[in-house]
Amino acid sequence: MSLATETFVLAERNLRRFAASPRAVIGTLLFPLLLMLIMLAAFSEMVTDVSGGAYIDRLAPLIVLYAAAFGAVNTGLGLFNDLRSGLIDRIRSLPVHRGAALLGRVAADLVRIVAVAALITLVAAAFGFRFRGGLAGVVGFGLIALVVGWMFLWLAVLIALRARTADGVSAALNGPLTLLLFLSTGFAPVEAFPGALQPIVRANPLSVASAAMTGLAGGGPVAGPVLWTLLWAGVVTVVAAPLAIALFGRRGR
């Protein structure tokens, strides 16, 4: 079989395992949805008064991004468990390409990101979120979610390859992701944060990506936030992906 076929087969396997795991589904989909509803109930009126726009317009892109990033926790845990259980070694004992197992996991998680983003956006539409940028805005919205998910996937893979315990994988990802969520302009306008935190909030990758997605949906500037998002994703990928691939190959030897 070709590498593409092997990657497809292993990606399908990972998607089936994800769908069969209530814990993974709840963590990846239901938790972000519940978080969106809680934040809408708690902060909608206050943020709308401050920003002058509907809170759901800035919150929906942030929750889509958080779901993509938070799903990387399952990516890291899944890879860690596959390595510890010997599943990766068994796959490598078969006549398949050495990188197929890793590519299959990344490909499956990219499909998951698109599916979860679509579901969250549909729920957000029930609370007033709308695309006003046409088809190009919809496509761009999804691509930004994919780019951010891609960035966090490689971070999760790298952490899983270096971690000694499953709890170590979760701890290395959950804490930083929670900070990025609440220190984001998708959560509240930058002016609502203390002055010392505002540069951090502006530079936050979830801030620039959510601003890009809001703009693509028809609610603000696009070029600057998209460029900053691509810069973040490019830098992280250039650093994390080669290290992860090298570590994965070393595990095989």
Side-chain angles (χ1 to χ4, degrees), residues 3-185:
L3 175 59
T5 302
E6 293 164 359
T7 299
F8 175 83
V9 170
L10 292 171
E12 184 183 22
R13 165 195 170 274
N14 286 324
L15 286 171
R16 281 191 275 107
R17 287 182 66 190
F18 167 76
S21 171
R23 179 180 176 182
V25 172
I26 289 171
T28 303
L29 177 59
L30 295 186
F31 177 71
L33 283 174
L34 181 61
L35 181 64
M36 181 173 72
L37 296 178
I38 291 172
M39 292 173 73
L40 272 175
F43 303 110
S44 180
E45 185 175 347
M46 178 179 65
V47 175
T48 299
D49 290 342
V50 172
S51 66
Y55 188 38
I56 190 63
D57 288 339
R58 72 166 61 233
L59 181 62
L62 177 64
I63 297 299
V64 168
L65 291 170
Y66 180 70
F70 189 74
V73 179
N74 288 321
T75 300
L77 288 173
L79 179 60
F80 181 87
N81 291 330
D82 286 349
L83 288 165
R84 290 300 183 275
S85 68
L87 178 63
I88 298 295
D89 292 333
R90 291 197 293 274
I91 291 174
R92 282 175 158 173
S93 69
L94 300 172
V96 299
H97 192 279
R98 293 182 61 81
L102 181 58
L103 291 176
R105 177 161 294 281
V106 171
D109 287 328
L110 290 175
V111 172
R112 171 187 53 76
I113 286 169
V114 172
V116 171
L119 287 171
I120 291 174
T121 305
L122 285 174
V123 174
F127 293 89
F129 180 73
R130 296 290 184 271
F131 285 100
R132 294 178 289 275
L135 180 60
V138 175
V139 173
F141 187 95
L143 287 176
I144 293 294
L146 267 180
V147 165
V148 172
W150 170 268
M151 174 177 70
F152 282 103
L153 285 178
W154 282 113
L155 285 174
V157 168
L158 180 60
I159 289 168
L161 288 165
R162 296 190 61 87
R164 295 186 177 182
T165 65
D167 287 342
V169 176
S170 297
L173 292 167
N174 282 327
L177 285 175
T178 301
L179 282 175
L180 290 175
L181 171 70
F182 290 109
L183 292 177
S184 164
T185 54

